């Protein structure tokens, strides 16, 4: 008898992320969703693991092709999810590289982590929908603040040199 992982999609504000509960009760996440959350594609996560960042050190030697394939309930396919600490290290790395979406994601996640514990301390009950709304507002606030900073620093002629969409 094969024991399978259970799949769910959670929202980080409006950003979907597939998570898996493994037969041992632990959680892992979809690597493509982790990259998509930071607007990255392809082998960005592999490059991070194989790179020189101190954030990648705990994951040296992690190999996606050799990672254990896990069957998922209600799905004929096998998955190769990654540990949550790898996902968060990757997002922090992206922050260090100036990725504003990763910065907003990390800041909103940290704020929510503290707010959830404060809610428990003060016996405040919120729904998951409310937490997603709050996360989304926090995320958008960071994105807006970063955008405002760029706009305020613009000089005449910057649109000739900056990438399309940054103006």
């Amino acid at each position: 008898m094969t024991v399978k992982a259970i799949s769910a999609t959670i929202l980080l504000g409006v950003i979907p992320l597939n998570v898996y509960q493994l037969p041992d009760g632990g959680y892992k996440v979809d690597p493509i969703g982790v990259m998509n959350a930071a607007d990255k594609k392809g082998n960005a996560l592999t490059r991070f693991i194989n790179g020189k960042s101190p954030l990648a050190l705990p994951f040296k030697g992690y190999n996606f092709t050799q990672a254990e394939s896990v069957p998922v309930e209600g799905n004929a396919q096998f998955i190769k999810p990654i540990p949550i600490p790898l996902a968060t290290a990757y997002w922090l790395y992206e922050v260090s590289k100036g990725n504003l979406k990763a910065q907003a994601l990390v800041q909103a996640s940290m704020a929510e982590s503290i707010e959830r514990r404060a809610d428990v301390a003060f016996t405040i009950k919120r729904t998951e929908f409310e937490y997603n709304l709050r996360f989304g507002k926090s995320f958008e606030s960071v994105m807006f603040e970063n955008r405002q900073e760029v706009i305020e620093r613009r000089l005449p002629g910057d649109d000739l040199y900056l990438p399309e969409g940054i103006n």
Side-chain angles (χ1 to χ4, degrees):
M1 180 175 129
T2 303
V3 180
K4 297 182 176 186
I6 302 169
S7 174
T9 300
I10 62 170
L11 292 174
L12 303 172
V14 296
I15 301 168
L17 182 64
N18 289 333
V19 297
Y20 304 96
Q21 183 182 35
L22 304 177
D24 67 3
Y27 298 114
K28 289 194 176 183
V29 293
D30 175 50
I32 294 171
V34 168
M35 288 186 295
N36 286 343
D39 282 342
K40 294 294 179 178
K41 306 257 185 264
N43 61 353
L45 201 50
T46 301
R47 283 194 318 271
F48 162 68
I49 292 169
N50 295 328
K52 296 179 181 177
S53 170
L55 291 166
L57 286 177
F59 310 102
K60 288 295 179 204
Y62 188 90
N63 186 324
F64 289 106
T65 57
Q66 294 176 349
E68 179 185 357
S69 294
V70 180
V72 179
E73 259 185 35
N75 190 336
Q77 296 180 340
F78 284 74
I79 57 162
K80 291 190 177 190
I82 62 171
I84 292 172
L86 172 53
T88 57
Y90 174 69
W91 288 335
L92 282 172
Y93 169 76
E94 284 296 318
V95 169
S96 75
K97 294 296 182 189
N99 183 323
L100 299 180
K101 190 169 181 185
Q103 179 186 342
L105 182 64
V106 167
Q107 283 186 252
S109 295
M110 289 188 309
E112 181 179 314
S113 175
I114 294 168
E115 286 178 353
R116 283 184 183 259
R117 284 162 177 77
D119 285 351
V120 170
F122 295 105
T123 61
I124 305 292
K125 297 194 184 300
R126 298 185 204 275
T127 65
E128 201 59 32
F129 179 77
E130 289 172 304
Y131 282 118
N132 273 324
L133 283 178
R134 294 171 71 82
F135 186 100
K137 286 179 184 176
S138 177
F139 180 88
E140 290 301 322
S141 172
V142 173
M143 291 296 289
F144 178 75
E145 288 168 10
N146 287 328
R147 178 94 173 121
Q148 275 304 116
E149 181 182 326
V150 169
I151 291 168
E152 290 167 3
R153 289 186 298 169
R154 282 190 63 207
L155 298 172
D158 277 351
D159 55 335
L160 299 173
Y161 304 102
L162 296 173
E164 187 176 323
I166 199 158
N167 291 316

